[in-house]
Amino acid sequence: MNFRVLERAGASAVCAVMMIVCIQGHVAAQSTARLFPAGDHLPRLLAAPREPVTGAKFVWNDDSPNEYGSGFDGEVAFGVSIPLYLISGRTVQHGLTVGVGAGVFGRFTLENNARELITTDWVVALPFTLRRGDNWYQFRYHHYSGHLGDEYSSRFSVEAENIGRDAVEITAFRQAAPELGFYGGFSWSYIVHPDSAQRFVTRVGAQVEPRSRGGALVPYGAVDVQWEQDNDWEPRMNLQIGVRLPEFKGRRMMRIAMEFFAGPSAQGQFHEEHVRHLTLGIYIDP
């Protein structure tokens, strides 16, 4: 990530802070503000490939973009989304939450004993989420960058590209039934690397989440589909089916899931390559 990208990302963060201050001043007479509200004020798109999350998964590549070819990879992710400031309206479920999220995704091969790193992807986000009951609307600043592993680059004499985006996103989520929700949105990147990259992305998705029933395992399902202008609008689909594990201290904090992914790769360095893989992973939702 070069210094110009960091400088522009910092400027975007300053603008976001100014927005928080302006929003606070506008509604202070009508609402109650709270620092660091409960984490569930920031919604999760469970099947989105590069949303901040903490977890690990085995990846079986049927159609792989990297030089190791078909076989097994591993991916470890460390990420978190934190609600910073809640401006409540009539109730907590009718308020605006300002948050921050960040994550790193490391993909490494399981085809040799060295477990060499293939790629790392970094994300930083500043979401502004407006809730209306179970429905929500989100405006988000989003930074994304993809990097090639040094071992991989050296082994295959591959030169890394400068891959990065700074974007603004708009997403709307509709709870169509007690256990079923749909969402859709788009993003526009005002900074792209390489400079020739296209700027628009659209997405739709759905999530099926049955209500918790005591100590039993709770199944769920989710699908996320994206179309990037930079990939000639070829769809990228990720289908996730899993179970939430029993409650711990009153919350279901862990889930196990299988995924089927097809389309342009979610790894930044291979974003133009078509991939198809199955995964088995475990995730933590703090």
Side-chain angles (χ1 to χ4, degrees):
M1 187 186 306
N2 60 40
F3 288 106
R4 291 185 64 189
V5 171
L6 288 174
E7 181 182 359
R8 290 169 178 170
S12 298
V14 171
C15 291
V17 172
M18 292 178 65
M19 287 178 64
I20 296 173
V21 174
C22 292
I23 292 170
Q24 178 183 4
H26 178 69
V27 302
Q30 305 177 21
S31 60
T32 302
R34 290 190 292 166
L35 288 171
F36 304 111
D40 56 7
H41 291 299
L42 289 183
R44 301 176 185 274
L45 301 182
L46 300 174
R50 286 295 183 258
E51 291 293 300
V53 69
T54 294
K57 59 187 179 183
F58 291 103
V59 182
W60 180 75
N61 294 296
D62 177 52
D63 184 7
S64 174
N66 67 60
E67 296 292 337
Y68 290 106
S70 299
F72 285 96
D73 293 340
E75 184 169 293
V76 177
F78 296 96
V80 66
S81 295
I82 302 173
L84 297 178
Y85 199 80
L86 170 67
I87 303 171
S88 61
R90 300 187 304 275
T91 67
V92 171
Q93 289 298 313
H94 288 74
L96 175 68
T97 302
V98 182
V100 63
V104 57
F105 301 80
R107 180 72 67 89
F108 54 92
T109 182
L110 299 179
E111 295 299 312
N112 63 35
N113 292 331
R115 306 293 189 254
E116 293 172 348
L117 181 67
I118 300 173
T119 61
T120 55
D121 296 307
W122 296 79
V123 297
V124 178
L126 289 172
F128 294 75
T129 306
L130 178 66
R131 280 192 176 274
R132 287 293 179 263
D134 291 330
N135 304 317
W136 54 265
Y137 311 89
Q138 186 178 89
F139 172 86
R140 184 170 77 157
Y141 157 77
H142 183 257
H143 169 77
Y144 172 83
S145 62
H147 309 269
L148 199 65
D150 292 338
E151 300 94 337
Y152 180 90
S153 178
S154 176
R155 175 181 289 272
F156 296 108
S157 300
V158 177
E159 185 175 348
E161 290 187 83
N162 183 13
I163 300 295
R165 288 176 176 270
D166 285 79
V168 290
E169 301 178 347
I170 296 176
T171 305
F173 182 94
R174 175 71 177 176
Q175 195 74 37
E179 299 177 348
L180 173 64
F182 297 94
Y183 61 86
F186 68 93
S187 69
W188 176 76
S189 298
Y190 58 92
I191 300 174
V192 293
H193 296 283
D195 294 338
S196 59
Q198 302 298 310
R199 298 174 183 267
F200 283 97
V201 180
T202 63
R203 81 180 332 161
V204 297
Q207 299 184 169
V208 180
E209 296 193 84
R211 304 301 185 184
S212 177
R213 295 178 177 86
L217 299 177
V218 176
Y220 74 90
V223 61
D224 184 269
V225 184
Q226 300 180 27
W227 294 266
E228 290 191 12
Q229 185 183 18
D230 203 36
N231 287 319
D232 295 325
W233 306 111
E234 180 183 358
R236 172 192 291 131
M237 184 194 73
N238 193 45
L239 173 65
Q240 185 179 115
I241 299 174
V243 294
R244 293 190 179 276
L245 300 185
E247 292 183 359
F248 177 73
K249 294 185 178 180
R251 296 193 61 185
R252 294 185 179 271
M253 301 177 62
M254 300 184 68
R255 52 191 168 92
I256 297 175
M258 294 188 65
E259 290 181 339
F260 172 72
F261 183 102
S265 176
Q267 298 171 264
Q269 287 293 316
F270 303 119
H271 70 282
E272 294 181 340
E273 303 293 332
H274 187 279
V275 304
R276 187 169 57 247
H277 60 238
L278 292 170
T279 72
L280 175 64
I282 185 167
Y283 307 91
I284 300 173
D285 297 325

